[in-house]
Amino acid sequence: MNIDDTIAAIATPKGEGGIGIVRVSGPLALPIASELFRPSRKVQTEQLPTHSLTHGYIVDRSTSEEIIDEVLLGIMRAPQTYTTEDIVEFNCHGGVVTLSAVLDLVVKAGARTAEPGEFTKRAFLNGRLDLAQAEAVAELISSKTDLSRKIAIKALEGRLSERVNMMSDRIASLLAEIEASIDFPEEDLDFMKIETQLTNIREIKTDLVELLESATEGRIIKDGINVAILGKPNVGKSSLFNVLVNTARAIVTDIPGTTRDTIDELINIDGIPINLVDTAGIRHTDDPVEKEGVQRSRDVVNKAEFLLVMFDASESLNDDDIQLLQIANSHPAILILNKIDLNNVSKPEDLINHCPDRKVVQTAIIQEKGVEQLKTTIHEELLGKDFTLGESSIISNVRHQDALRHARTAIDNVIESLENDMPPDLVSVDLRIGLDALGDIVGKTTTEDILDRIFSQFCVGK
C-alpha cells in the first residue's frame, strides 16, 4: 500500500440522510479542496485556518463551474489529524447521487478511492494509533450495547496498550539482564539472582492471567451470546420471550403446543447482547408437526450457550420435567419456576434437588413478577456477580486473546526453566517469544498480511 498518495472515500453510510461526508487525506487534500470548493465569502481556500468549517459550493470546473452541491468544507491540517496527514471533508447533502458525484470529482482531481480501513491504517502506520487502538475503532463502530462501547473507548484511549506495554517492558528488562549474563559471563557484573528473576516473571504471569481471564466476559459483551428458552408446552415460554423482547413477537394462547417453530430476537440485558430463542414445548407427543417442533427445540439446545429452563409451579414435576432438568444439568442454565401466582404445587427445592448447582428464579410472567430478578440473575450468571467495568482493561478481541495465550505459554516455559536451573539461552528464547506475542497486540511485531486482514474488516471511509 502506497501511503504517500491521496485517498478519498464516502465516510457516511449508504442511503439518504441529512448529511453525507466525502473524506480526503494526503498531500493533495488541500489542493483538491482549492480546485473544487468555491467559498460563499471572499476568502482563498488555501488560507482557511485548520480545524474550521466554511460554507460554500462544490463546482465542476470542467463544465463551466456547474454547482454540484452546497457544502460545508472542513479543513484539518497535518499533523493534528486522524491520519496525521492533511485532511479535508466535504459535508454534503446526504444522498447516493450527490455523494458519488462529489467523490468522482475528487478522484478526477488526483485522489484515489480508499481501501477498507485505509484511513485508520494510515493512522497506525504514521504512529498516531497502535494496532490495539486501531482495532478499537472498528469495535466502537460495531458496538451492540453501551457496555461494549465503553470497552472499545477504553481500548481506544490506550488503556489496554498501556497494560500490554508495561508487561512488555518488564519482560524486555529481564531479557536484557539474562542476555548480558550470556554475553559477558567472565565480567565482574552484579547480575540478578534467579530467585529475583522468578519473582519478576511470576508477577508478569499474574498480570497475563488476569487479563486473559477477562476474555470470557469480553467476548460475551462484544459478540453476545445465544440463549434459548426451554420448557414443556404452555409453561410460559412465549410470554417470557415477549416480555424480554418487549413486543408481542411470539403467539401466546392457552392451547399447549401453539409454538411449533423457533423464534429469535436480539435483545440487550444490562449491556449484554443476547440472541434470545423461543422454542417449541419439549414433551412426548405423537403429533407429527409438534414432534418436528420438539426436534428443532433439541437442535437449538445443542447450539445454545445458555438456557432458561421453565417449569410450571401449579403442576407436579413429571417425566418431561425430569428430562428438562437433566438437560439443565449438562448446560449452563437458570431454572425458572413460573406461574407462582397460582397454586404452588412445585417448589424451588424440588428443582434444586435435581439441579443443585443451578439458580432458581420464581416468576409470574403474565403479571411480569420476577422479571427484573431474572434479568439480574442472567447478568450475574453470564458476567459474574461482582463484575464491574471500572478502570480495568477487558479483552474482547480474539486476536488479542490468542496472543496473550502464546505469551503465557512462553512465560510458563521461562518459569519452568528457571526453577530447573536450565541454561540462560533457553530462558532467553522463551522470553523473546513472549515479548513478540505481546508485540503482536499493539503492532510492534505484526506482519503485513495480518495487518491487511485486520484493516480489510473495516468499513470504507474509516
Side-chain angles (χ1 to χ4, degrees):
M1 179 184 294
N2 181 9
I3 64 170
D4 296 324
D5 56 1
T6 299
I7 57 175
I10 298 171
T12 42
K14 292 182 180 180
E16 296 181 358
I19 296 293
I21 296 175
V22 176
R23 176 177 292 155
V24 189
S25 178
L28 293 180
L30 294 175
I32 288 173
S34 297
E35 179 179 341
L36 302 181
F37 181 69
R38 190 176 73 193
S40 57
R41 59 188 176 91
K42 291 183 179 180
V43 62
Q44 296 296 317
T45 303
E46 57 269 17
Q47 295 176 351
L48 292 173
T50 187
H51 294 78
S52 65
L53 286 176
T54 305
H55 178 268
Y57 303 89
I58 295 291
V59 296
D60 185 354
R61 300 190 187 278
S62 67
T63 58
S64 302
E65 299 199 359
E66 174 193 356
I67 293 178
I68 303 301
D69 192 21
E70 181 183 16
V71 303
L72 288 175
L73 171 66
I75 296 282
M76 290 163 278
R77 300 180 187 274
Q80 302 299 322
T81 70
Y82 184 70
T83 61
T84 77
E85 305 168 337
D86 287 336
I87 289 180
V88 300
E89 291 184 346
F90 299 108
N91 293 259
C92 311
H93 290 93
V96 175
V97 174
T98 299
L99 291 171
S100 296
V102 174
L103 181 60
D104 286 344
L105 289 177
V106 169
V107 172
K108 289 177 182 177
R112 66 168 172 82
T113 304
E115 298 175 10
E118 190 170 357
F119 290 93
T120 303
K121 187 172 185 179
R122 288 192 175 200
F124 164 69
L125 295 174
N126 291 332
R128 182 184 174 275
L129 302 173
D130 64 34
L131 192 54
Q133 290 174 300
E135 288 171 292
V137 172
E139 292 174 5
L140 181 61
I141 293 171
S142 63
S143 296
K144 294 182 176 71
T145 67
D146 194 54
L147 192 54
S148 58
R149 176 193 63 79
K150 289 178 180 179
I151 291 176
I153 282 291
K154 288 181 181 297
L156 183 57
E157 289 176 337
R159 304 283 182 86
L160 173 61
S161 303
E162 180 181 1
R163 192 166 178 182
V164 169
N165 287 331
M166 287 178 62
M167 289 188 289
S168 296
D169 289 345
R170 296 189 67 181
I171 293 175
S173 296
L174 185 56
L175 178 61
E177 174 83 15
I178 290 176
E179 289 186 341
S181 69
I182 296 172
D183 295 337
F184 308 104
E186 305 300 329
E187 300 291 335
D188 188 19
L189 299 175
D190 186 18
F191 293 115
M192 190 184 299
K193 297 184 182 299
I194 289 181
E195 291 78 9
T196 305
Q197 293 175 1
L198 274 169
T199 298
N200 289 342
I201 202 66
R202 284 170 179 156
E203 289 175 353
I204 294 170
K205 180 182 176 179
T206 299
D207 289 341
L208 272 172
V209 170
E210 183 179 305
L211 202 51
L212 261 174
E213 286 176 346
S214 72
T216 300
E217 292 86 355
R219 185 194 66 80
I220 291 174
I221 294 170
K222 177 188 173 186
D223 299 327
I225 187 169
N226 293 318
V227 177
I229 304 174
L230 297 184
K232 293 188 305 184
N234 206 32
V235 75
K237 300 185 302 301
S238 295
S239 296
L240 174 61
F241 181 86
N242 288 340
V243 167
L244 293 178
V245 172
N246 200 28
T247 186
R249 275 290 315 276
I251 299 173
V252 178
T253 74
D254 293 330
I255 303 172
T258 299
T259 301
R260 297 298 181 96
D261 203 351
T262 60
I263 305 173
D264 63 277
E265 187 79 27
L266 183 65
I267 64 172
N268 174 2
I269 293 184
D270 294 334
I272 304 174
I274 289 178
N275 182 43
L276 187 66
V277 184
D278 182 24
T279 64
I282 293 181
R283 67 171 177 178
H284 176 74
T285 178
D286 294 322
D287 184 300
V289 178
E290 187 178 358
K291 186 178 293 186
E292 175 63 23
V294 171
Q295 182 55 50
R296 292 189 182 189
S297 296
R298 295 185 187 279
D299 292 340
V300 168
V301 170
N302 294 329
K303 296 177 182 177
E305 299 167 89
F306 198 86
L307 303 177
L308 303 177
V309 188
M310 298 189 73
F311 302 88
D312 190 337
S314 66
E315 297 179 357
S316 299
L317 298 181
N318 61 17
D319 291 342
D320 291 329
D321 291 311
I322 300 303
Q323 187 179 42
L324 286 164
L325 287 165
Q326 291 172 348
I327 293 174
N329 256 329
S330 59
H331 292 76
I334 294 172
L335 309 181
I336 303 172
L337 190 58
N338 192 32
K339 303 185 182 182
I340 59 171
D341 53 319
L342 305 178
N343 294 327
N344 288 347
V345 177
S346 293
K347 307 291 184 182
E349 50 266 29
D350 297 328
L351 305 180
I352 294 173
N353 286 338
H354 293 275
C355 294
D357 297 327
R358 299 290 178 260
K359 289 187 177 179
V360 178
V361 178
Q362 300 183 73
T363 62
I365 297 300
I366 299 300
Q367 288 79 29
E368 297 193 16
K369 183 178 180 180
V371 173
E372 291 305 315
Q373 179 59 46
L374 176 60
K375 290 180 180 179
T376 299
T377 305
I378 290 172
H379 190 276
E380 291 177 353
E381 288 294 291
L382 294 181
L383 296 185
K385 189 173 183 179
D386 299 324
F387 175 83
T388 55
L389 187 56
E391 297 299 316
S392 60
S393 302
I394 291 182
I395 296 296
S396 61
N397 185 301
V398 173
R399 192 183 70 83
H400 299 170
Q401 185 179 5
D402 288 341
L404 287 169
R405 284 173 176 160
H406 290 145
R408 184 182 63 182
T409 298
I411 295 306
D412 284 338
N413 291 338
V414 170
I415 293 173
E416 183 179 358
S417 295
L418 290 174
E419 288 176 339
N420 291 285
D421 199 23
M422 301 295 286
D425 52 340
L426 294 180
V427 177
S428 173
V429 168
D430 286 319
L431 281 173
R432 191 164 294 282
I433 291 173
L435 190 61
D436 288 345
L438 292 178
D440 280 341
I441 296 175
V442 293
K444 292 180 179 178
T445 56
T446 309
T447 60
E448 184 64 28
D449 62 321
I450 292 178
L451 291 179
D452 289 340
R453 187 166 69 249
I454 290 171
F455 288 104
S456 68
Q457 299 172 11
F458 281 59
C459 55
V460 175
K462 195 61 178 179

